[in-house]
Amino acid sequence: MASILFVLNGPNLNALGKREPGIYGGQTLADIEALCRAEGEKLGFAVDFRQSNHEGDLVDWIHEAGDVAAGVAINAGAYTHTSIALHDAIRAVKTPVVELHLSNVHAREDFRH
Ligand code: DQA
């Protein structure tokens, strides 16, 4: 498989830096993208870094990753807790997909668990 990693970001992550900094910190999404690119380069991967507020975009990108990427890291934001479509998309591809979050969702409201 190609040496591309997709890093996918869901809704409201474009507002990092000004969005609830007490929870998500002061870094912008551009800062995080730069970190991902630098780390990817060290490991020999090109990083394809994307953000969308729209669930269908994330579904389409997971399908695309299934064809071209070695792996996916996804912070699906609030869709993590609600989206059966994303769950099914991840199950539909063979490419490994890792879910991640900036905050500890298990230490927050029940609906984020
Ligand atoms: C988040 C956690 C989600 O519960 C929340 O809706 C987000 C961000 C995180 O990175 O901590 O948008 O995914």
Side-chain angles (χ1 to χ4, degrees), residues 8-46:
L8 304 181
N9 298 275
N12 300 307
L13 295 172
N14 54 312
L16 287 177
K18 56 188 177 202
R19 172 193 184 199
E20 300 187 89
I23 295 175
Y24 297 115
Q27 289 192 315
T28 66
L29 195 62
D31 294 331
I32 293 171
E33 178 173 359
L35 287 172
C36 288
R37 285 193 189 291
E39 201 59 33
E41 202 169 304
K42 274 192 230 161
L43 298 168
F45 288 97

Side-chain angles (χ1 to χ4, degrees), residues 26-100:
Q27 289 192 315
T28 66
L29 195 62
D31 294 331
I32 293 171
E33 178 173 359
L35 287 172
C36 288
R37 285 193 189 291
E39 201 59 33
E41 202 169 304
K42 274 192 230 161
L43 298 168
F45 288 97
V47 170
D48 194 329
F49 192 97
R50 305 181 186 183
Q51 188 276 330
S52 178
N53 292 321
H54 305 280
E55 187 176 10
D57 287 342
L58 296 164
V59 170
D60 288 344
W61 292 343
I62 288 166
H63 291 173
E64 184 184 338
D67 292 330
V68 302
V72 178
I74 183 167
N75 183 351
Y79 291 141
T80 305
H81 317 299
T82 61
S83 178
I84 295 166
L86 275 177
H87 169 87
D88 286 350
I90 290 166
R91 290 176 64 106
V93 297
K94 291 205 174 79
T95 304
V97 179
V98 175
E99 170 191 338
L100 55 85

